[in-house]
Amino acid sequence: MNLFSPLTLRQLTLKNRIVVSPMQQYSAKNGIPGNWHLVHLGGRAVGGAGLIMTECTAVSPEGLATLSDVGIWNDEQKDAWKNIVDFVHEQDAKIGMQLWHSGGKGSLKHPNEKMKPLTKEEGGWTVKSSSPTEMNGVIPEELTVDEIQELKVKFVEASHRAVEAGFDTIELHAGHGYLFHQFYSAVINKRNDEYGGSLQNRIRFLVETVGEVRRSIPDGMPLLVRISAVDYLQTSDAWTLDDSIILAKILRENGVDLITASGGGFANVSKDRVFPNYQVPFSSTIRQQTGIATGAVGMITEAVQANDIIVNDEADLIFIAREHLRDPYFALHSAKELELKVEIPWQYKRAF
């Protein structure tokens, strides 16, 4: 088994273990992906990756972080995504949609404007979270139980549209300080009802949504979840790897097929803790302790490095982000470096 071994999850078979990790492009209008997204995602499919993941895609307008993010809450967005899906499939690659709600980390300006809070005049909205806990200088409103139920419906509706658009898999983004993470981490969640307090209560929103989405998509379609395995905070209420192991077992029981193990979201990680493979132990430990398939992330930039993670059974998939921005053909270049034969687009064979 190596980086270019196929992987089957339910009825989906990936030609290799290389995934284009979700990366925000801040280039949409009205949540609609455009030519930039077609070229960005399609180029990486031409480049040989087995699975192409969309950037985190909002299930409702209030789920956006910025007004330049993509969404899938209406059919116009769905139809635009279908064009991208069709092109990726033409390149013999698979494509997944990462569904997401930013929660209290929403209503922000474009990164070129330093992601400061939007005013109402600029199109801003009232952000809501598990609790009125300050994030990025903003105190969100607390979601009511009825609003939580409505959000679960939004995720199901978005899942239906993703299936209709032809996506091969769906990933729920439950990390990086966004809404699901704002519920399961006690750093943010200070509720006193059935969605707060104990770990079982704090993970309830995610677990219930997973169940609803799992029942609403085809049995043969894998369901993935990205989590922050740790909060990177030295506080008694911080989420820990032990908590993630408990969560992973429950998610597996509820039909999740793979967990992408990332970290952080509420604070900047100190630079001395960021180095090649720095988050791989999360995927490895969760995989070993729970038996669920995992995806590894965290400064994975080289072919041998990525291959060793697979060979050493530390993860089942390698999610590569920034290196794919630098090199859209990372997979083809990796195969050459590892001296492995892969199918090359006929248009490009003269270069290889």
Side-chain angles (χ1 to χ4, degrees):
M1 186 172 64
N2 59 50
L3 189 60
F4 287 87
S5 299
L7 175 68
T8 298
L9 298 170
R10 293 192 182 242
Q11 294 177 13
L12 175 65
T13 298
L14 305 177
K15 63 183 178 182
N16 60 51
R17 308 301 181 96
I18 299 172
V19 184
V20 176
S21 199
M23 290 175 282
Q24 295 303 91
Q25 298 298 293
Y26 304 106
S27 300
K29 293 182 179 179
N30 300 318
I32 302 168
N35 288 338
W36 178 269
H37 302 88
L38 171 62
V39 174
H40 168 65
L41 297 173
R44 276 80 194 158
V46 171
L51 177 62
I52 313 295
M53 293 301 301
T54 71
E55 60 195 88
C56 45
T57 305
V59 300
S60 70
E62 299 78 19
L64 298 167
T66 78
L67 293 173
S68 299
D69 295 323
V70 292
I72 192 165
W73 64 81
N74 62 42
D75 288 344
E76 185 178 6
Q77 295 160 347
K78 178 191 74 175
D79 292 342
W81 279 118
K82 188 176 187 308
N83 291 332
I84 295 170
V85 169
D86 290 346
F87 182 83
V88 169
H89 285 161
E90 289 171 6
Q91 314 316 312
D92 190 34
K94 305 300 183 183
I95 183 167
M97 170 162 278
Q98 187 185 67
L99 296 178
W100 158 82
H101 193 295
S102 64
K105 294 179 72 173
S107 192
L108 301 174
K109 294 182 181 181
H110 193 277
N112 290 340
E113 300 176 273
K114 300 182 179 179
M115 298 191 80
K116 295 179 180 179
L118 287 164
T119 65
K120 287 186 178 181
E121 292 72 24
E122 293 168 325
W125 59 94
T126 299
V127 295
K128 298 187 178 185
S129 181
S130 60
S131 302
T133 306
E134 184 270 329
M135 282 178 282
N136 299 329
V138 175
I139 299 177
E141 291 186 2
E142 180 170 301
L143 286 160
T144 67
V145 172
D146 285 344
E147 288 173 327
I148 293 170
Q149 308 312 313
E150 291 169 3
L151 281 170
K152 289 192 292 183
V153 173
K154 295 292 185 185
F155 274 94
V156 169
E157 291 173 344
S159 299
H160 287 161
R161 288 194 174 91
V163 171
E164 291 171 358
F167 282 92
D168 301 295
T169 185
I170 288 171
E171 180 177 68
L172 301 185
H173 193 351
H176 297 177
Y178 295 122
L179 187 58
F180 286 122
H181 191 187
Q182 291 163 26
F183 269 82
Y184 66 72
S185 174
V187 169
I188 303 298
N189 189 341
K190 308 298 182 184
R191 300 174 72 97
N192 295 312
D193 61 7
E194 65 267 38
Y195 289 97
S198 68
L199 183 147
Q200 295 293 330
N201 281 356
R202 286 183 279 112
I203 66 174
R204 188 184 304 276
F205 176 36
L206 173 57
V207 172
E208 288 179 346
T209 305
V210 161
E212 294 289 340
V213 171
R214 178 72 268 170
R215 287 187 288 272
S216 70
I217 63 176
D219 288 342
M221 174 181 279
L223 179 59
L224 322 180
V225 175
R226 176 178 285 238
I227 66 170
S228 281
V230 300
D231 278 340
Y232 286 118
L233 293 169
Q234 303 301 316
T235 59
S236 61
D237 53 4
W239 185 261
T240 68
L241 183 55
D242 287 341
D243 295 331
S244 290
I245 291 168
I246 294 170
L247 174 61
K249 290 177 179 178
I250 294 171
L251 292 178
R252 185 185 185 195
E253 292 168 359
N254 282 270
V256 172
D257 301 288
L258 181 141
I259 287 177
T260 308
S262 188
F266 301 128
N268 292 326
V269 183
S270 60
K271 292 183 179 180
D272 64 320
R273 301 181 73 177
V274 179
F275 46 83
N277 286 17
Y278 76 107
Q279 294 187 123
V280 173
F282 302 153
S283 66
S284 178
T285 301
I286 290 171
R287 189 177 188 272
Q288 292 171 4
Q289 295 292 319
T290 70
I292 196 169
T294 59
V297 302
M299 288 191 70
I300 303 169
T301 61
E302 299 178 358
V304 173
Q305 174 192 15
N307 189 60
D308 285 348
I309 294 168
I310 298 298
V311 170
N312 295 330
D313 288 330
E314 295 178 287
D316 300 272
L317 289 176
I318 308 297
F319 284 70
I320 294 175
R322 287 177 174 84
E323 190 58 27
H324 263 129
L325 296 182
R326 292 183 283 265
D327 180 6
Y329 308 104
F330 175 83
L332 297 182
H333 292 152
S334 294
K336 184 177 181 180
E337 182 178 342
L338 295 170
E339 299 182 346
L340 297 170
K341 290 186 177 182
V342 296
E343 191 63 33
I344 296 166
W346 67 265
Q347 298 93 332
Y348 286 5
K349 282 187 177 180
R350 74 189 75 173
F352 289 84

